[in-house]
Amino acid sequence: MSILVLLAYFLCLACIPAEETAPPAPLQRATPAASSLRFVEVASAIGLTWQHENGRSPQRYFPETMGGGGAFFDYDGDGDLDVYAANGALIAADPRDAAPVNRLFRNDGQRFVPVAAGVAHRGVGMGVAAADYDRDGDLDLYLTNFGPNALFRNDDGHFAEIGRQTGIADARWGTSCAFADYDRDGDLDLYVANYVAYDPATTHTDQVPYMAGYESYGGQAPVGYPHPDNFQGQADLLYRNDGAGYFTDVSVEAGIADASGKGLGVVFGDYDNDGWPDIYVANDAVRNFLYHNSRDGTFAERAGLAGVAYGQDGQMEAGMGVDWGDYDGDGVLDLTVTNFQAEPNALYRGEGGFFSVATFAAGTGLPSLPLLGFGTQFFDPDLDGDLDLFAANGHVLDNVLDIDQSTSYGQRNLLFRNDGGRFAEVSAAAGPGFSLERVSRGSATGDYDGDGDPDLLVFNSGQPLSLLRNDQGDANHWITIRLAGANGNPNGIGARLTATSGDLVQTRELRGSRSYLSQSQLRICLGLGKRPQLDALAVRWPSGRVEEFGPFAANQAIALVEGEGVSVASDPP
């Protein structure tokens, strides 16, 4: 093990940072004596026989190591989840050679079947977001690339690429992206995180590589991918949906065009519960951004003031993936960010507009130190009513063993079970799906098999897809909620739900774009534990309207329509 990693371990074992506060008192809910979580890898067995091309080459062009995202989404409107996987490409390939393409798989209820629907796209693909931006009843796709981005308009199950026509085919290095109605005018806008200004033609051998300070180099560094410090950051983009199928770049006037960022992860969330969506951006090796929505079309950057700009000791970290979630059940959104090896995955506990560091006190810090995290999400796989936490891991260096023998290129992913506001790392006991060691990047959650519990889709760099089926059993009850917002937000993206079942109160926000480069299912799965029904459900729609529903018997999917009422969903959850 390298000196840096050993030092990090000893420092973390010796003390908890002074600014880190104690976790909340345990929630009043039953916690099983042993984990019932079990995930099984089923991708190839049910038709997801696809392998990502990362373009790995002796030149080690920077984009080769960063890609690997996609989507869990229902592109054909039949009620079950389909899969879209973004592919990479050879950076210096002969243009006459066949190029890798992205792939769409349709879920036919039993297996995934590859389909040609106009979204193949040749290029160095990165991130994906899905939403019905044009309000025609089906989900469209936005794709970021190392190169021009693309917008695929869904026309009854077949797609047309219209990024240039709609003004959102930016040619910078786009990474994670997300749709939301930031100005609450009734239609969905788009945020695009950009990474660094990188030109493969000007790559130099004198660029500082990753992990240059590790003593294993012995004075001569092995060939490796360049560190992001070698390159200038690129400003992110905010596109306002003008309601007629076009977007306007409002990045400068909205206050988010900060070229000091090196964005990799982005997620919308109303962290201060004022009814307006805010934005968090995980940046690589520079400070992170928290854009507070000023309610007038502009944002104020408040990450430093709120306590989420830096790591626990005030240091800049290599932020990758990100998600919001109320893990401690207090009705306030908390935040998680994955980081580089020897930097713990951050956990920030919401305090009502401000955050305290809970990384080590809540139990997620130490297990994540030896690993390099990318995708991440809060979700409830055991359906006990609180949010557990997933982290997808994989190194950026294919030759990392030449530098540091304490780690590896392929790595195991992490699953943290929430036990009353504190987390226990249960990966080893969570089934054979968590014994895999792969070079994981993006991740998404969704109930692809319609049994009520969320499954995991993991996108791996240069390797096959992973689909981890959740086989936790039927010991706990659940409710799946499909939202239909009014006006221009047909899926209710940004709605906040407060669900009450006996002593259990859960707060959730609907968002699909989160993690790293990835899109999750646009529905909310609520675990109820042993409780036989959901007593009451309050929905604050993105429009600001608040409606109350319920009660609902457990183990069903329901559809809520803004301003119209409730119907039992006619399709699987």
Side-chain angles (χ1 to χ4, degrees):
M1 182 175 287
S2 72
I3 290 175
L4 289 180
V5 176
L6 280 172
L7 180 59
Y9 269 116
F10 290 136
L11 286 174
C12 296
L13 287 170
C15 64
I16 292 174
E19 70 270 27
E20 185 167 313
T21 61
L27 304 177
Q28 297 303 309
R29 61 184 62 154
T31 299
S35 174
S36 61
L37 291 167
R38 176 177 171 79
F39 286 87
V40 178
E41 166 64 275
V42 297
S44 62
I46 59 173
L48 289 176
T49 54
W50 180 85
Q51 179 161 316
H52 177 260
E53 171 60 71
N54 59 14
R56 183 174 169 183
S57 69
Q59 292 79 20
R60 287 183 167 80
Y61 297 116
F62 200 7
E64 295 172 4
T65 196
M66 303 304 293
F72 245 158
F73 78 126
D74 181 11
Y75 88 94
D76 53 1
D78 65 353
D80 51 27
L81 284 176
D82 310 299
V83 169
Y84 184 66
N87 214 346
L90 297 171
I91 300 293
D94 188 324
R96 296 168 296 181
D97 294 340
V101 296
N102 301 346
R103 184 64 63 87
L104 176 64
F105 292 88
R106 179 175 57 83
N107 185 343
D108 69 4
Q110 299 295 324
R111 295 178 58 81
F112 286 91
V113 179
V115 292
V119 289
H121 195 271
R122 299 183 178 188
V124 185
M126 290 286 160
V128 176
D132 184 6
Y133 85 93
D134 55 358
R135 300 175 288 182
D136 65 352
D138 48 29
L139 293 176
D140 311 292
L141 276 177
Y142 189 72
L143 172 69
T144 60
N145 297 287
F146 175 67
N149 300 331
L151 175 64
F152 296 100
R153 187 187 64 216
N154 190 341
D155 296 328
D156 295 323
H158 195 275
F159 293 82
E161 204 290 292
I162 57 168
R164 189 177 300 277
Q165 296 95 302
T166 53
I168 52 178
D170 188 81
R172 281 171 281 186
W173 186 349
T175 56
S176 294
C177 49
F179 284 99
D181 183 10
Y182 82 91
D183 52 2
R184 287 181 49 180
D185 65 350
D187 49 30
L188 291 170
D189 313 296
L190 176 65
Y191 190 99
V192 180
N194 285 319
Y195 192 32
V196 298
Y198 175 78
D199 182 358
T202 60
T203 297
H204 302 292
T205 57
D206 60 350
Q207 289 173 346
V208 177
Y210 274 108
M211 302 175 70
Y214 275 52
E215 79 287 351
S216 300
Y217 278 130
Q220 183 175 2
V223 176
Y225 289 101
H227 193 279
D229 284 350
N230 292 288
F231 312 105
Q232 294 295 317
Q234 293 185 315
D236 295 344
L237 291 161
L238 180 63
Y239 295 107
R240 186 186 66 226
N241 188 335
D242 290 336
Y246 297 93
F247 290 85
T248 299
D249 182 352
V250 295
S251 310
V252 174
E253 50 264 53
I256 63 91
D258 187 342
S260 70
K262 299 178 181 180
L264 287 177
V266 62
V267 65
F268 279 93
D270 182 9
Y271 79 93
D272 57 352
N273 198 22
D274 66 353
W276 292 76
D278 310 297
I279 306 165
Y280 188 83
V281 181
N283 288 310
D284 192 2
V286 296
R287 67 190 298 273
N288 299 322
F289 298 151
L290 175 63
Y291 291 114
H292 177 260
N293 195 325
S294 301
R295 312 186 202 181
D296 59 1
T298 68
F299 291 85
E301 205 291 295
R302 293 186 178 176
L305 178 66
V308 292
Y310 303 100
Q312 56 167 12
D313 296 317
Q315 77 280 19
M316 293 184 293
E317 296 179 323
M320 309 287 188
V322 62
D323 197 13
W324 297 105
D326 177 20
Y327 81 88
D328 53 0
D330 63 355
V332 179
L333 292 184
D334 312 298
L335 179 69
T336 185
V337 184
T338 53
N339 291 307
F340 201 83
Q341 174 191 352
E343 299 172 352
N345 292 345
L347 183 65
Y348 302 100
R349 194 177 77 224
E351 305 279 1
F354 300 92
F355 296 83
S356 58
V357 179
T359 303
F360 287 96
T364 62
L366 206 57
S368 65
L369 268 175
L371 304 171
L372 200 162
F374 277 91
T376 187
Q377 44 251 117
F378 290 109
F379 73 134
D380 185 9
D382 53 4
L383 303 176
D384 65 349
D386 55 22
L387 289 174
D388 307 305
L389 183 59
F390 171 78
N393 301 306
H395 217 282
V396 295
L397 300 181
D398 53 356
N399 59 343
V400 68
L401 284 175
D402 296 335
I403 303 166
D404 179 7
Q405 295 185 4
S406 73
T407 189
S408 58
Y409 185 41
Q411 298 180 352
R412 63 188 180 89
N413 296 328
L414 292 177
L415 183 63
F416 294 93
R417 186 189 64 211
N418 188 341
D419 291 336
R422 294 178 175 85
F423 289 94
E425 200 261 296
V426 297
S427 313
F434 275 88
S435 66
L436 301 172
E437 292 189 359
R438 291 184 173 171
V439 187
S440 297
R441 294 292 184 257
S443 62
T445 59
D447 181 14
Y448 86 91
D449 54 359
D451 63 355
D453 54 33
D455 309 294
L456 275 167
L457 180 64
V458 183
F459 302 92
N460 303 304
S461 176
Q463 295 175 334
L465 286 170
S466 295
L467 178 57
L468 305 185
R469 187 184 65 210
N470 187 344
D471 288 348
Q472 57 85 34
D474 57 2
N476 287 333
H477 299 305
W478 53 272
I479 289 277
T480 296
I481 301 165
R482 177 163 60 92
L483 299 176
N487 300 322
N489 192 345
N491 298 102
I493 294 172
R496 176 174 288 222
L497 282 67
T498 303
T500 303
S501 184
D503 62 330
L504 176 65
V505 180
Q506 302 180 68
T507 301
R508 302 285 186 268
E509 281 192 2
L510 180 66
R511 71 184 69 87
S513 300
R514 51 197 178 116
S515 184
Y516 175 75
L517 308 181
S518 301
Q519 167 83 29
S520 290
Q521 182 177 24
L522 284 172
R523 299 191 185 184
I524 289 180
C525 177
L526 292 174
L528 302 179
K530 306 301 181 185
R531 301 163 185 85
Q533 72 172 21
L534 180 60
D535 299 329
L537 182 64
V539 180
R540 189 184 71 198
W541 297 93
S543 65
R545 183 201 303 248
V546 177
E547 295 184 296
E548 296 185 356
F549 307 90
F552 301 104
N555 303 333
Q556 64 168 319
I558 59 173
L560 307 179
V561 182
E562 182 178 1
E564 297 183 15
V566 185
S567 64
V568 177
S570 59
D571 50 26

